[in-house]
Amino acid sequence: MNRKTVFYCAALFALVTGENIYAQIGEPYIHDPSTIMECEGKYYTFGTGGGGLISEDGYTWHSGGVRPGRGAAPDAVKIGDRYLVAYSATGGGLGGSHKGTVLTMWNKTLDPASPDFAYTDPVEVAHSEDNEDCDAIDAGLLLDPTDGRLWLSYGTYFGFIRLVELDPTTGARIPGNEPVDIAIDCEATDLIYRNGWYYLLGTHGTCCDGPNSTYNIVVGRSRKVTGPYLDNIGRDMLQGGGKMVIAAGHRKTGPGHFGRFIEEEGVEKMSCHFEADFDQGGRSVLAILPLLWKNDWPVAGEPFCEGTYEIESERRGYALELAVDFVRMEGGIHRFWEKSDEPLVPLKSQTLEDVVSTWPDGNINVRTGDYMFRPHQKWSVIAVPESGGYLGAPYYKILIEGTDRALAATAEKELITVPQFTGTDEQLWRIEQLTDGTYRIMPKNVPGCDRQLALISIGDSTPSLGEFDMESDNSKWNFRIR
């Protein structure tokens, strides 16, 4: 599905139902969230003021994360079997003072209930004074996957964004390392690496003004970690450049504090906060969205929304459908080579009532075929939040429109539809947008199978379940509004 179609779907759904289609559930209230960390099967993010959020599944969030030192705008990275957390003690520029300090500390685990939970004493890695043109605040950490070097970016809108190198063993600043100026007109920066490019993501605009906050996230890229970071039209971020990644929308303003989470090849998420969620009293909330890549530039994807779709295989463009006899429609057949004076009368679309009596009562197999906007090809995708979720979204049920007939996985690793949705794991579906904009569809669990399998197309007309392969169109699907 192209991004324009997804946006229309999301906006229309929000308008009609009033649903909060971005928001995590529970108590996802946080400001300046760190990059999300996974630790011992749980997810963690930390925010300004100390503490943070914990989630068992990545969808329902509650307070409970522990981070000593209070202060502002932390970030986190896993190095080996330990977690390094960086945070700012003071600073920010808003009160007229540029004096601040960035500190780092380690922990073996992020679970406060673990006997191994204990933060080390903080170590200062950067500071700023009142007369400086930089604020030592808003830490961003990058462990370079190409050489194992560790980098810290910091700074605010009120001066330069600076970069220093840290020791990945101690978390301390490498002696003699001098800061490098890499950007202006942004704050809450984060560095990531992909396909030979370093990306600097910065939060532009104003914060801390509720629904009037103008925060948005921009990006530049460089072949070297020290820059220069240029945007898509060649503007240097040291001159105020930056390509838009995400701005306000869907009754939420002020996206800021980017974080990247890689689930596996082709499946990436981005986290941020929105300064004000209009549907949650204007509070600052955690958001988790698909992270797409377009021409080697990061783009925020849209949240998947409920609706009725053609589910289309990327392999051939065929549609997922019930394996039932095709019911022909009457009328509309004319000899095109003969002139006709008959009045033009619109044809009536085939309805569920026209065909449902021809379908078997029990389980029905599925296949893929030419899309004809027929009832056996239309699927209603509906969230089931009471069944939990995964990173950023709830599980869904996938039903033939107008019925309770549900798509399900079988112990034979095949697909069927069952007459009634009962909420069992094999009838719950995980729908995630991939980095190229297509979708992966996975059952929550396959009966008797301890592996995660995805909906695949093993032939032009043969859907099944198998290992997800980002390099194969057989593993990719599109949701189209027809």
Side-chain angles (χ1 to χ4, degrees):
M1 186 188 301
N2 61 46
R3 294 188 69 246
K4 182 177 180 181
T5 301
V6 179
F7 176 82
Y8 171 77
C9 163
L12 179 63
F13 179 66
L15 177 66
V16 172
T17 68
E19 290 289 338
N20 198 352
I21 57 176
Y22 267 17
Q24 308 306 288
I25 65 172
E27 299 174 327
Y29 310 121
I30 195 168
H31 201 259
D32 307 339
S34 68
T35 299
I36 291 172
M37 292 284 104
E38 186 176 10
C39 177
E40 301 170 27
K42 298 179 183 178
Y43 298 92
Y44 296 82
T45 183
F46 303 102
T48 287
L53 303 178
I54 299 177
S55 177
E56 298 278 350
D57 58 9
Y59 175 55
T60 304
W61 292 83
H62 298 285
S63 61
V66 176
R67 176 185 66 82
R70 295 188 61 79
D75 199 21
V77 65
K78 187 176 184 182
I79 303 177
D81 60 356
R82 297 185 298 164
Y83 299 85
L84 182 68
V85 176
Y87 67 99
S88 308
T90 54
L94 283 172
S97 173
H98 296 271
K99 190 171 184 177
T101 306
V102 178
L103 305 107
T104 62
M105 54 188 177
W106 295 92
N107 206 328
K108 294 180 181 179
T109 177
L110 299 178
D111 183 358
S114 170
D116 294 325
F117 182 83
Y119 280 101
T120 60
D121 291 335
V123 174
E124 180 183 311
V125 292
H127 72 273
S128 58
E129 299 296 338
D130 275 334
N131 60 353
E132 288 195 40
D133 51 6
C134 175
D135 299 319
I137 192 174
D138 287 6
L141 293 167
L142 169 68
L143 183 66
D144 192 332
T146 68
D147 57 17
R149 295 170 75 178
L150 179 63
W151 299 91
L152 168 79
S153 62
Y154 63 93
T156 71
Y157 196 87
F158 298 95
F160 287 103
I161 301 299
R162 288 185 172 155
L163 180 73
V164 294
E165 186 174 2
L166 309 183
D167 186 326
T169 302
T170 65
R173 184 162 161 180
I174 290 180
N177 181 255
E178 294 296 326
V180 177
D181 295 337
I182 55 175
I184 60 170
D185 291 348
C186 62
E187 56 194 28
T189 53
D190 195 47
L191 285 163
I192 61 176
Y193 176 86
R194 182 180 184 272
N195 285 354
W197 290 101
Y198 295 91
Y199 296 86
L200 178 65
L201 292 109
T203 305
H204 178 79
T206 61
C207 82
C208 314
D209 195 16
N212 304 300
S213 300
T214 63
Y215 256 6
N216 55 81
I217 298 175
V218 298
V219 64
R221 68 185 184 186
S222 174
R223 292 294 187 184
K224 298 192 301 180
V225 69
T226 53
Y229 286 91
L230 309 182
D231 65 15
N232 58 310
I233 59 172
R235 296 173 299 186
D236 195 324
M237 291 186 75
L238 267 173
Q239 304 297 322
K243 181 182 185 297
M244 185 68 71
V245 176
I246 183 172
H250 305 301
R251 289 177 51 80
K252 296 172 181 64
T253 56
H257 289 257
F258 174 93
R260 180 193 189 195
F261 188 99
I262 302 175
E263 290 188 22
E264 60 181 281
E265 183 187 6
V267 188
E268 299 186 15
K269 305 289 175 64
M270 63 159 283
S271 61
C272 65
H273 75 230
F274 282 99
E275 288 275 337
D277 182 337
F278 286 22
D279 295 319
Q280 298 201 56
R283 296 189 65 173
S284 179
V285 298
L286 176 67
I288 301 171
L289 299 170
L291 180 60
L292 313 185
W293 290 90
K294 183 177 180 181
N295 300 323
D296 271 334
W297 288 99
V299 178
E302 294 286 346
F304 187 84
C305 67
E306 296 174 312
T308 298
Y309 297 95
E310 173 207 352
I311 302 177
E312 179 189 275
S313 169
E314 183 77 358
R315 171 189 169 101
R316 176 68 184 264
Y318 280 169
L320 194 70
E321 63 181 25
L322 294 184
V324 294
D325 290 337
F326 183 80
V327 178
R328 293 180 56 81
M329 295 178 61
E330 298 299 325
I333 301 175
H334 301 277
R335 292 187 176 96
F336 58 85
W337 59 89
E338 294 181 356
K339 183 178 180 180
S340 173
D341 295 324
E342 295 180 9
L344 298 178
V345 178
L347 297 181
K348 175 178 171 289
S349 294
Q350 192 176 77
T351 67
L352 180 66
E353 290 72 22
D354 295 332
V355 299
V356 69
S357 63
T358 70
W359 297 352
D361 292 330
N363 295 343
I364 302 177
N365 292 331
V366 295
R367 65 192 177 206
T368 55
D370 292 302
Y371 185 68
M372 301 284 288
F373 55 92
R374 301 298 176 89
H376 69 296
Q377 300 176 313
K378 295 181 179 181
W379 301 90
S380 292
V381 185
I382 302 168
V384 191
E386 62 271 20
S387 295
Y390 44 95
L391 188 60
Y395 286 105
Y396 295 87
K397 57 183 177 181
I398 302 178
L399 311 177
I400 288 292
E401 183 187 24
T403 77
D404 203 31
R405 178 169 290 280
L407 186 67
T410 73
E412 294 73 34
K413 304 179 182 60
E414 299 296 343
L415 294 165
I416 59 169
T417 62
V418 296
Q420 296 289 323
F421 174 77
T422 61
T424 55
D425 284 357
E426 64 269 20
Q427 298 175 15
L428 296 169
W429 296 89
R430 175 174 180 152
I431 300 173
E432 293 177 293
Q433 194 171 26
L434 305 175
T435 53
D436 64 4
T438 61
Y439 286 83
R440 177 175 73 171
I441 307 172
M442 303 177 69
K444 183 177 182 180
N445 283 306
V446 176
C449 181
D450 58 2
R451 295 175 297 151
Q452 283 196 320
L453 300 180
L455 177 59
I456 62 171
S457 181
I458 60 174
D460 285 350
S461 61
T462 311
S464 186
L465 295 171
E467 299 287 344
F468 173 72
D469 181 1
M470 182 61 188
E471 299 304 313
S472 171
D473 285 349
N474 291 11
S475 296
K476 301 175 182 179
W477 300 82
N478 295 291
F479 290 81
R480 303 210 183 271
I481 302 172
R482 298 291 196 180

